[in-house]
Amino acid sequence: MTTIDPGAAGSAVPVAPHAEPEAAASSHLFGRGLLYVVVWSLQLVAGTIVSPILAHVLGPAEFGALASAIALHQVLSVLALIGLDQALVLQRGEDGHTDRARGIMTVGIVVALVVAVIAGSTAPLWRDALGFGDYPALVFAVILWTFPAAMVQIVLALLLAEDRLGPFAIVSVLAAVGGLVVGVVLLLTVRNDAATYAIGGVVSQTLAMIIGLIVARPALRGLLDWPVAWRAIKLGVPLALGGLAIFVLNAGDRIVIQRILGPEEVGRYQIAYVVGSVVILLLTFTSSAWTPRFAALRDESQRWLLAVQSRNELYRLLMPMVAGVTLAAPALLRIVAPSSFRPEPLTLIVFVVSISAFPVAASGATGRLLITLRRGKTIGLIAIVAAAANIGLNIVLVPFYGILGSALATLLAFAMLAALQRLALPDRPAFARPPTRLICAVAATVLIAGGSVLLPQTSGWNAGRFVIAVLCLPWFLGALRRVRAVPSERAAIVSPRLSVRADFSNPEEPLLPHTVQFAPNPALPADLVDLPPHAPGPCRIIAVDVDQPFPELDMESRYERALIVCWRAGHPIGTAYVELGGTSAPVLDQMQHLIQKTQPVGSRSSRPIADTELPSITVVVTTTVRRVRELRLLLDSFKRVDYPSVEFIVVDNRPVIGEGDPLPELVRGRTNLRVIRETRPGVSAGRNAGMAAATGDIVAYADDDVRVDSQWLRALGRRFVLQPDVDAVTGLILPAELETPAQIWFERYYGGFSGERTFTALTLAAEPGPVRALRGSRITVRTMDGALERRVSLYGVGAFGAGANMAFRRRVLERLGGFDTALGTGTPARGGEDLATLIDVLWAGGKLAYEPAAVVHHRHRRDYPGLVSQFRGSGVGFTAMLVSLIQHDRRHLLSIAWQLPQAAARILQQGSTRIRGGRVARSRSRGPAHVEVCTGGYPRSLVLTELGNYWRGPAAYRRSQRADQAWSKTSTEAIHVERRA
């Protein structure tokens, strides 16, 4: 008899934490992942050997009682685990280490002990009701079995998470196979009953538990880390309920049979089920080994593609397995069961149970995706519905068809489980149905295997069946060899976010790993007028996935250097300026330090977020339609945005629309996009109009000269979900091109629009101050795990975001009154509206998050006079913003005065540093400048332009206010005239 460890059905067991590219992931699933399946299957092999011994020694009645007792043991073990083994899987995958996972293990020890004590103390109350009134010793052994079995399961979870195959194999074999061997020895030497056999399981499980706990080392501090424990329990409890329901699918039919037909029929059904469910159990082991590899994949599209591919490959493996088991069933049944079990009619039951493996494989693929989406409640509810259907079908069919009706009920229930889980998944084109050829092959295999059941069961026919069943083994091995390989057509099935290689000779080279493509736009003569000396040449922007092979460099002669944007798992992790040559070796040498140093950052290491959890978002773009090409590229990038609930609003901010308006043609045929008019001048007025028209919970803002990444909104939405107390989120701004000296200088001076660029997810909040008027003047900057990064001035938070890439909760913006219409582009103040609003969020006690995974690409000013004008506007806008803050809240005056000495010193220090790096220093040898010099040089006149315009800000803000008031008055008078007319 097989005694599979509890939780094997529907239980996720962790695996190595590192995610591999999808092209090789499927091969890895059928490679090292199968080693764990082989270890698990040892208990299946041992159970197949032991089952006929037990059937002959115990007899039908005692054998049936033992089968029911093992089913009870599995129920108690699932309750003792409450899904914490699966919660441990996701925690290990999210953290990348086992500290908190080992804390969850400690919580599991306490829970399992409590469940075992409760079960033991209440056993007299439920023992008779479950039909164990004549077997009190057997019930006692089962309860003793519960605690060590649950501990072994959670220990195996952690060992597999760390990919420790050796300790995993020792604990697993000792717990499962050792229990079978010890049980049989006790049965043959001590006493011939089911309780004695069960004691063998208690002994081996206890020994395996002791060894496992020594190896895994649970962390006692897990009992004090209540947030992690509670989050694990919240995920685990629904999964535990689902595990119980899966148990009902697998074993509940035996309880119905015992109540209706008696323990003898349970024994007969158990024998047939053991033979037929060999395929299902192997699938269960495989699913348990694979689920953590899906969780470790950070890229959601990769997980979906891998789920489809692994499901199809399992179908190919199942065909020879189902055919072989069905053909060999008549011979196997006569080996494992004595004649008193009447084995001949059981062949049909073996066939029905074995073909249940196909819906089990389908539900395994969808279930793994639902687990990685943390849809524990959905999984549990669906499993309960399928289990209830199984019990109901058993009650209806067993009285008419006997144990065959029970097998049919199990098949239909598994099919229902697969169908409901598929319906519960978000609708994604990536989750395609199996190819038609594969479906036809599966149908043909089922028909042939089913037809063999109708053949006579004489010795000659059974021998022929068995020979054909043996021939299915090469078929299976060939299919396994094919799926373990990585053919070229499978290697091409990769997520576009991870597959991009930089082709340096291709002018249509993708800038983003998210399929956004556009050609470089070389500098025109108009872009090169009035340039100061030592203007740099063009710089190529190249996106490189550091986990993929680096391409050979075949550079265009006009590029001497490149800005390498390094990506990992679909997220940017750093940039590096490199000198380019004819081969990739020098570039790799310069990038090696960055590649080794950087790790995945941002909220991507956090739990997966289901589409239903993401907030609705309204994207607002204010434009005066002066940059038609850039606006078209922005709107085109909106089509590639992957987000479940989004609307786009383009605010036309032109006071007057002339002839030949290009906007209607730009927006024609675009879905989820509206155009509204706001004639009040200034980007702030446009943003306020967009906020008023927005329907989303989140309002995201982008400039009309950026291109957004396809995962931009997902990164923003995820951050709002992960940190519900965050009021605003800013993102990373990368350059779209560096073709002209003006663009290169802007990038060097204001990289990321903030003077610096970071690839670490951060959270900003006001630091409590000793004086009430000064509270909020200093800001603490922390990483996602709460570690203090630094402290900055409230008025320096512009280093962490800009208006080209920011999002707010709509209710927060409405509470703050929106943007100051006297600030921003299009007004005499020329800027500062975005920084003022971010400061307002923090000043009001809110939190600001910086999410580097939310990426937009900005097209910097191409000509030098335009760049000088932009720097002039930056100086004016900053001090105009300070005046605006003081006017709206006088406490800012005291806060600014308190920080003025430090701010002045910092400004002078930054200005001095920038001036010293203002001229590009050449290397002593001939040739281009070194990397360090290339990242630091720009004309000193730009520094002086910005600093020299600070004093203009207060007067400019006052002019903006007067102009805004005049517009409001004129607009009001026009409305009154219109009403009188």
Side-chain angles (χ1 to χ4, degrees):
M1 160 175 288
T2 0
T3 56
I4 305 304
D5 279 342
S11 177
V13 183
V15 80
H18 305 294
E20 56 276 311
E22 194 276 339
S26 177
S27 174
H28 199 118
L29 292 181
F30 291 93
R32 183 172 178 83
L34 283 185
L35 293 178
Y36 292 94
V37 178
V38 170
V39 173
W40 259 318
S41 64
L42 291 178
Q43 60 181 297
L44 180 61
V45 174
T48 304
I49 297 173
V50 169
S51 290
I53 299 175
L54 296 177
H56 283 83
V57 173
L58 293 177
E62 196 78 12
F63 185 81
L66 179 60
S68 299
I70 291 175
L72 173 63
H73 158 67
Q74 291 178 335
V75 171
L76 292 177
S77 297
V78 171
L79 291 175
L81 280 171
I82 62 167
L84 290 181
D85 57 332
Q86 301 183 63
L88 183 150
V89 171
L90 295 185
Q91 192 67 56
R92 173 65 175 84
E94 292 172 2
D95 294 345
H97 56 79
T98 58
D99 291 348
R100 293 198 286 188
R102 289 191 293 114
I104 294 175
M105 181 189 299
T106 305
V107 176
I109 293 174
V110 175
V111 173
L113 186 58
V114 171
V115 170
V117 171
I118 293 175
S121 59
T122 59
L125 302 178
W126 49 262
R127 185 174 57 204
D128 294 341
L130 295 181
F132 292 100
D134 297 332
Y135 303 95
L138 181 59
V139 172
F140 180 71
V142 166
I143 294 172
L144 289 180
W145 200 350
T146 299
F147 176 70
M151 287 302 93
V152 167
Q153 186 69 19
I154 203 166
V155 164
L156 291 177
L158 190 65
L159 292 177
L160 191 50
E162 297 174 317
D163 201 12
R164 300 168 65 182
L165 181 59
F168 176 88
I170 293 173
V171 175
S172 179
V173 172
L174 181 58
V177 181
L180 298 174
V181 174
V182 175
V184 170
V185 170
L186 292 176
L187 192 66
L188 298 177
T189 59
V190 179
R191 188 173 179 177
N192 184 11
D193 61 14
T196 302
Y197 176 81
I199 291 297
V202 176
V203 173
S204 63
Q205 291 277 3
T206 302
L207 182 57
M209 176 190 70
I210 294 172
I211 295 175
L213 292 178
I214 293 174
V215 173
R217 295 177 295 111
L220 294 178
R221 62 178 175 274
L223 297 175
L224 303 178
D225 194 354
W226 180 242
V228 173
W230 178 242
R231 185 164 176 252
I233 292 172
K234 285 174 61 180
L235 172 66
V237 169
L239 292 179
L241 295 176
L244 289 176
I246 293 295
F247 154 76
V248 173
L249 278 176
N250 283 285
D253 44 11
R254 265 138 284 190
I255 296 177
V256 176
I257 295 173
Q258 179 162 335
R259 298 292 296 180
I260 297 177
L261 303 178
E264 290 82 2
E265 289 301 293
V266 173
R268 295 185 66 239
Y269 183 77
Q270 178 68 22
I271 285 292
Y273 197 89
V274 165
V275 176
S277 65
V278 168
V279 181
I280 297 177
L281 291 175
L282 287 175
L283 280 178
T284 300
F285 300 148
T286 303
S287 179
S288 298
W290 286 0
T291 297
R293 296 196 181 275
F294 283 79
L297 286 173
R298 301 299 182 204
D299 184 85
E300 186 175 352
S301 59
Q302 270 202 313
R303 288 198 298 266
W304 286 69
L305 290 170
L306 184 56
V308 171
Q309 186 176 349
S310 61
R311 178 203 62 195
N312 295 345
E313 302 298 3
L314 282 177
Y315 283 170
R316 294 184 175 94
L317 292 175
L318 284 177
M319 288 188 288
M321 294 174 68
V322 169
V325 168
T326 304
L327 289 168
L332 292 176
L333 288 170
R334 283 163 174 78
I335 294 174
V336 300
S339 58
S340 60
F341 279 71
R342 292 176 284 122
E344 183 172 333
L346 300 181
T347 302
L348 181 57
I349 297 173
V350 172
F351 166 70
V352 174
V353 172
S354 66
I355 64 175
S356 301
F358 290 105
V360 169
S363 64
T366 53
R368 286 189 290 272
L369 291 175
L370 289 171
I371 288 176
T372 56
L373 292 173
R374 285 190 173 266
R375 301 278 293 274
K377 294 180 181 178
T378 302
I379 296 173
L381 179 61
I382 290 174
I384 291 171
V385 171
N390 186 29
I391 294 296
L393 289 170
N394 267 278
I395 294 173
V396 172
L397 296 177
V398 167
F400 295 97
Y401 300 101
I403 56 178
L404 175 61
S406 187
L408 292 172
T410 299
L411 172 62
L412 294 175
F414 275 126
M416 176 183 293
L417 178 72
L420 292 178
Q421 285 187 173
R422 177 63 187 92
L423 292 175
L425 280 176
D427 189 17
R428 298 287 174 80
F431 198 84
R433 67 177 182 85
T436 303
R437 180 180 299 178
L438 179 58
I439 294 175
C440 293
V442 169
T445 301
V446 171
L447 289 175
I448 293 173
S452 70
V453 176
L454 304 178
L455 298 176
Q457 294 195 26
T458 63
S459 299
W461 281 103
N462 289 346
R465 282 192 183 96
F466 193 80
V467 170
I468 299 175
V470 172
L471 294 178
C472 290
L473 182 60
W475 178 13
F476 171 79
L477 294 177
L480 179 61
R481 185 169 56 252
R482 285 192 296 272
V483 300
R484 291 186 64 187
V486 188
S488 58
E489 64 267 21
R490 288 187 188 132
I493 306 178
V494 294
S495 165
R497 285 193 285 160
L498 294 177
S499 62
V500 169
R501 311 306 202 265
D503 181 3
F504 291 22
S505 62
N506 181 8
E508 297 295 328
E509 174 190 54
L511 176 66
L512 305 176
H514 299 154
T515 71
V516 178
Q517 297 186 4
F518 53 91
N521 190 11
L524 301 174
D527 300 326
L528 304 178
V529 299
D530 299 329
L531 286 177
H534 309 293
C539 178
R540 191 66 174 270
I541 301 175
I542 304 170
V544 174
D545 187 338
V546 298
D547 291 326
Q548 301 289 339
F550 199 85
E552 286 294 323
L553 305 185
D554 184 9
M555 277 302 303
E556 296 179 25
S557 59
R558 66 191 185 94
Y559 292 109
E560 293 181 344
R561 60 188 60 86
L563 173 64
I564 305 292
V565 182
C566 296
W567 296 71
R568 173 175 281 142
H571 299 272
I573 61 172
T575 58
Y577 281 87
V578 297
E579 298 297 323
L580 295 174
T583 66
S584 61
V587 178
L588 285 175
D589 291 340
Q590 297 180 67
M591 292 178 58
Q592 196 63 37
H593 175 69
L594 176 67
I595 294 174
Q596 293 176 351
K597 180 181 177 182
T598 53
Q599 295 295 331
V601 295
S603 61
R604 54 186 169 276
S605 62
S606 302
R607 66 179 178 90
I609 303 296
D611 285 354
T612 54
E613 296 181 73
L614 293 171
S616 57
I617 296 182
T618 297
V619 178
V620 176
V621 177
T622 301
T623 182
T624 55
V625 202
R626 294 179 180 176
R627 298 174 287 205
V628 177
R629 177 179 179 270
E630 282 72 29
L631 182 58
R632 185 189 302 276
L633 290 173
L634 170 63
L635 298 180
D636 289 343
S637 70
F638 283 164
K639 294 189 299 184
R640 292 180 283 267
V641 168
D642 175 24
Y643 199 80
S645 178
V646 60
E647 67 167 352
F648 301 96
I649 295 179
V650 174
V651 182
D652 185 354
N653 196 219
R654 294 173 293 180
V656 178
I657 300 177
E659 296 181 358
D661 179 22
L663 187 58
E665 188 273 333
L666 287 176
V667 302
R668 185 178 298 118
R670 300 183 187 272
T671 59
N672 299 332
L673 187 145
R674 291 185 286 148
V675 178
I676 63 175
R677 285 292 310 279
E678 175 53 70
T679 57
R680 181 194 294 264
V683 67
S684 291
R687 286 174 172 164
N688 288 341
M691 176 191 68
T695 60
D697 299 324
I698 306 298
V699 182
Y701 293 97
D703 288 349
D704 63 354
D705 56 354
V706 304
R707 273 150 277 186
V708 302
D709 183 84
S710 65
Q711 301 299 306
W712 173 53
L713 291 184
R714 278 197 178 272
L716 292 175
R718 280 175 48 83
R719 193 64 184 274
F720 279 111
V721 173
L722 291 172
Q723 292 183 276
D725 56 342
V726 162
D727 294 325
V729 179
T730 60
L732 178 64
I733 302 175
L734 293 172
E737 61 180 22
L738 295 175
E739 294 291 323
T740 72
Q743 292 177 327
I744 294 171
W745 283 327
F746 180 85
E747 180 65 19
R748 293 175 184 174
Y749 189 97
Y750 265 157
F753 276 71
S754 58
E756 61 184 88
R757 179 179 285 130
T758 179
F759 293 84
T760 301
L762 302 169
T763 304
L764 287 71
E767 184 179 37
V771 181
R772 183 174 182 179
L774 299 179
R775 291 175 186 172
S777 298
R778 298 290 293 175
I779 303 300
T780 58
V781 183
R782 299 183 181 274
T783 59
M784 285 286 288
D785 58 6
L788 180 64
E789 182 83 4
R790 54 176 152 159
R791 292 179 173 86
V792 298
S793 167
L794 173 67
Y795 310 101
V797 297
F800 303 94
N805 184 5
M806 62 183 182
F808 300 83
R809 296 191 190 274
R810 181 158 58 96
R811 68 174 187 273
V812 173
L813 266 185
E814 291 171 347
R815 186 178 70 245
L816 294 175
F819 296 84
D820 186 350
T821 54
L823 292 174
T825 304
T827 70
R830 305 192 60 177
E833 86 292 343
D834 49 358
L835 179 55
T837 308
L838 295 177
I839 289 174
D840 285 341
V841 169
L842 294 169
W843 186 257
K847 288 185 178 181
L848 168 66
Y850 169 76
E851 177 51 66
V855 181
V856 303
H857 293 252
H858 181 263
R859 188 176 188 246
H860 304 333
R861 304 288 177 90
R862 292 176 60 88
D863 61 296
Y864 185 72
L867 179 63
V868 172
S869 176
Q870 185 175 7
F871 273 65
R872 187 179 295 116
S874 297
V876 172
F878 181 77
T879 49
M881 177 269 301
L882 295 178
V883 174
S884 170
L885 293 174
I886 294 171
Q887 182 165 312
H888 287 86
D889 191 337
R890 300 297 181 183
R891 291 179 299 167
H892 279 291
L893 182 60
L894 179 58
S895 176
I896 293 172
W898 178 51
Q899 300 187 67
L900 186 59
Q902 292 179 333
R906 185 168 57 253
I907 290 173
L908 291 176
Q909 181 183 12
Q910 290 178 349
S912 175
T913 301
R914 285 170 169 169
I915 288 174
R916 286 198 304 270
R919 185 172 61 87
V920 179
R922 308 295 293 183
S923 60
R924 293 184 180 180
S925 60
R926 294 183 180 182
H930 293 295
V931 174
E932 293 79 16
V933 178
C934 288
T935 60
Y938 33 74
R940 67 184 64 189
S941 60
L942 293 176
V943 183
L944 298 176
T945 297
E946 183 181 35
L947 296 178
N949 280 275
Y950 278 169
W951 67 274
R952 299 179 181 272
Y957 181 73
R958 182 58 187 153
R959 291 197 302 274
S960 287
Q961 282 188 310
R962 287 198 296 266
D964 189 60
Q965 292 167 359
W967 187 95
S968 298
K969 181 178 179 180
T970 304
S971 177
T972 302
E973 292 174 352
I975 292 174
H976 289 324
V977 170
E978 182 179 354
R979 287 177 178 174
R980 286 196 297 269

